[in-house]
Every structure is written in C-alpha cells, then in structure tokens.
Amino acid sequence: MAIMEVVKLTKRFGGLAAVNNVSFDVHEGEILSVIGPNGAGKSTLFKLISSFLPATSGKVVFRGEDITSQKPHVVARKGVIRTFQETTIFRDMTVLDNVVVAHHLHSKASLIGFFLGTRVARDDEAGFRRSAEEIIDFLGIGQMRDEAAKNLPHGHLRALGMAMGMAAAPKILLLDEPFAGMNAEETESALGMVRGIRGRGITVLLVEHDMPAVMKVSDRIVVLNFGEMIAEGAPSEIQENEAVIEAYLGREDEELGI
C-alpha cells in the first residue's frame, strides 16, 4: 500500500529541468532509496517532496492528500520529516536538549506558554524529555546525553540528526545521505539504526551515495539520471539494469559492484 505517490514531478530552473516528470510510489513500511550520479536531481527531489521547493508541475500525494503546494511546516506536521543536517543542530546544546527541542513541532503549548511556564508547557516539556531519553537510548547514543553536540564524532552527529528527525513524530522519514563520511564500523551501526527506525513503523526514504550500504538496507531503489527516473526495483534488479550500469560507468560502477 502506498503511503506516498510522486506523480510526474517536475522542477525547472530557467531552461534546466533538475527533476523531470518523475513518478513513483513509496510503500508503507519500506526503505526506499533514491540514487544517481552527482547532479542527477536527488537533493532537488527531496526538497520538492518536503515542500522546501515549489514544483513546476506534478504533485506529491501523502496519504491521499495533495501536499505539493503546502508550507514545509504544515507538511512536517502531517508526518513528512526531513532529517536535520549538521548545520541545523544546536552545537552548544547537549544531545538530550537537541532532541527535546526537536519535539516542539507538536507542542500543545504556545510560545508564550513556554515563556510563562504554564501547566500545559510544563507537561509538554516533561513529555518531550521522556520521549527524547527513549529515542537516544534506542539509537545507542544515550551515554552521550549530556555531551555538547559540537563535541560529537561524525557518526554520532549523524545519529543525533536521526534522533531529532524521530522526535518530530514522522510517518515517513527522509534521510539525506545518512552514511556520508562514515567509516565501515560507523556505517554498519547507522544501517542498524535505519532498520530500527523502520522497525518502529516509520517508512524511510533516503538519498545516498554509499552504494554497498544502499544495496544492504533498501527494499527498493529508484535511480535518477539527469533529472529523469531511469530505473526502479529491488537491489538485485538495479544491479543488473543496463540503463543503471551505463549511468554509473566509470568510478561509480565500481561502487555498485557491477
């Protein structure tokens, strides 16, 4: 069953089509990866899906509702969450406090209520803190709860980004290169986190360059090249697809293991 439908989605910048007539479904409970050479349109596609960019044409349907023209914060409240990048992590705050703050998308109290310390605000804060503790323990970074984010190694920063994404109560979580810059041990740990997130009933859509990791973790893969979708299927099918092999000729074909 599709939780999201991307229908003939197109984004043009002047005469350049960064994403051109792309259509695919995201099935509820799956891990779907979007891959492609540099400049293929992957990041633009993520921004369109999460409403950070307006589409030139086409639409994104989430749980039967067209969300294409809605504001990013409205789309996020519906459950379409992009992971926080390192630049949006509060580097001087602790790991725990970063995750607590990420819950505020779903606050019952107003900003003034938090400022005045109303009962609703206090209840929100207590609930957010309990949830944050559970999330960081689940992702294996609970031992760093009191550490300033700026002191975390790269792999743990990525885990913190996932934790902050989970704090926003996603129905579908968009992970933007979650394995980038990781060594083999960190990648294996992150793969476990992604599988664990899916195990909690969260659908995962990810963009990634680490092809061995993508092949290990994905249920299905969508391949973009020059803004167009050239293939869709299971990892075994993608590895044998002639259009994908041609698109990845050179350095990247070795990454695919072709």
Side-chain angles (χ1 to χ4, degrees):
M1 177 179 170
I3 189 173
M4 177 177 284
E5 301 163 68
V6 175
V7 184
K8 296 183 178 180
L9 202 57
T10 298
K11 179 61 180 178
R12 295 186 180 277
F13 297 98
L16 172 67
V19 173
N20 189 24
N21 203 35
V22 170
S23 297
F24 61 90
D25 291 346
V26 183
H27 302 157
E28 190 159 13
E30 76 172 339
I31 300 173
L32 175 66
S33 295
V34 179
I35 68 171
N38 289 333
K42 304 182 297 295
S43 294
T44 301
L45 177 65
F46 253 37
K47 290 173 183 174
L48 293 170
I49 289 172
S50 53
S51 282
F52 279 83
L53 273 178
T56 303
S57 61
K59 61 183 178 179
V60 178
V61 178
F62 177 64
R63 290 184 154 184
E65 179 184 359
D66 187 346
I67 61 171
T68 318
S69 60
Q70 298 185 14
K71 299 292 186 184
H73 71 276
V74 174
V75 170
R77 285 201 179 99
K78 292 180 185 297
V80 181
I81 303 294
R82 282 180 68 193
T83 45
F84 291 78
Q85 300 302 305
E86 291 178 22
T87 52
T88 57
I89 287 172
F90 301 100
R91 299 182 69 83
D92 290 322
M93 290 172 58
T94 66
V95 166
L96 181 62
D97 285 342
N98 265 283
V99 183
V100 169
V101 167
H103 281 79
H104 282 259
L105 183 67
H106 297 285
S107 298
K108 294 184 179 70
S110 66
L111 185 60
I112 294 174
F114 278 101
F115 180 74
L116 296 176
T118 64
R119 183 183 59 79
V120 174
R122 292 196 303 273
D123 288 347
D124 272 354
E125 194 71 20
F128 295 163
R129 193 159 290 272
R130 286 193 299 271
S131 176
E133 290 273 10
E134 190 274 330
I135 289 170
I136 62 175
D137 285 341
F138 169 74
L139 290 177
I141 54 174
Q143 74 278 12
M144 297 185 170
R145 59 177 36 81
D146 298 321
E147 187 70 54
K150 64 184 177 184
N151 297 330
L152 296 182
H154 179 76
H156 287 99
L157 268 177
R158 289 284 178 172
L160 176 55
M162 290 187 202
M164 293 173 72
M166 289 178 66
K171 301 295 186 296
I172 179 168
L173 185 61
L174 281 61
L175 301 176
D176 194 354
E177 299 193 23
F179 315 123
M182 291 186 177
N183 60 35
E185 183 179 349
E186 290 171 333
T187 299
E188 281 302 318
S189 177
L191 285 169
M193 291 179 195
V194 172
R195 293 186 186 107
I197 290 168
R198 189 262 296 276
R200 291 167 70 107
I202 300 169
T203 302
V204 177
L205 178 61
L206 65 89
V207 161
E208 183 53 59
H209 281 100
D210 186 331
M211 291 303 105
V214 165
M215 295 300 164
K216 285 181 181 179
V217 80
S218 306
D219 297 307
R220 288 190 305 128
I221 298 171
V222 166
V223 187
L224 299 183
N225 194 31
F226 295 112
E228 298 186 353
M229 193 175 86
I230 61 170
E232 175 185 3
S236 58
E237 295 171 322
I238 294 302
Q239 285 180 307
E240 297 174 359
N241 186 289
E242 289 298 327
V244 177
I245 294 170
E246 184 177 348
Y248 274 88
L249 280 176
R251 180 177 56 83
E252 276 98 355
D253 65 342
E254 295 175 4
E255 294 175 1
L256 274 170
I258 295 170

